[in-house]
Amino acid sequence: MEITRVLDAALRKAAAVWITSPGHEPRLVHAHWRDDALWVVTGGSEQQVPGLSDQAQVTVTVRSPSTHSHLIDAEAVAHLTEPDEETTQALRTARLNTKPEWEVVYRLEFSA
């Protein structure tokens, strides 16, 4: 699956994105861009994302890091996953202000 240059650049800079699940309001969540997918952790001390589940189709909205204005929307499919050790460490490192303790990890893959 090919990621557009604009989406790739936006997600590399974003520490948080808006996720909209069908039937739910958009939710601002911390996320980490890695291996051409957006990783989102939920539960425990982390955010709750209503409607996010395995195989859920969601819309990811990225805002400009400099102006905070709307930059891009992209459709993605959530996959419940168990990250490898390297990805787990990257997810922990990305959460600088808190001790991350999550229950579930999703890998959001973008539609072509």
Side-chain angles (χ1 to χ4, degrees):
M1 202 243 34
E2 182 180 331
I3 303 291
T4 67
R5 286 187 354 205
V6 171
L7 180 60
D8 179 68
L11 291 170
R12 285 179 189 275
K13 295 176 184 173
V17 298
W18 292 88
I19 294 179
T20 307
S21 302
H24 297 278
E25 293 294 316
R27 180 69 59 111
L28 182 63
V29 299
H30 296 282
H32 183 65
W33 179 243
R34 179 181 175 78
D35 298 331
D36 290 333
L38 190 65
W39 296 80
V40 176
V41 296
T42 64
S45 64
E46 293 293 333
Q47 66 249 338
Q48 300 296 324
V49 185
L52 187 60
S53 61
D54 192 38
Q55 302 300 314
Q57 303 233 3
V58 299
T59 301
V60 176
T61 301
V62 184
R63 297 192 172 269
S64 166
S66 56
T67 65
H68 304 290
S69 61
H70 178 269
L71 186 60
I72 192 168
D73 288 329
E75 299 301 314
V77 176
H79 299 280
L80 182 62
T81 189
E82 190 66 42
D84 62 26
E85 188 174 318
E86 188 175 314
T87 301
T88 298
Q89 185 57 44
L91 292 169
R92 290 187 187 287
T93 301
R95 301 292 281 126
L96 297 174
N97 335 2
T98 186
K99 180 179 178 189
E101 294 179 11
W102 57 75
E103 294 173 359
V104 180
V105 178
Y106 292 98
R107 177 184 166 100
L108 276 57
E109 296 180 359
F110 292 89
S111 306

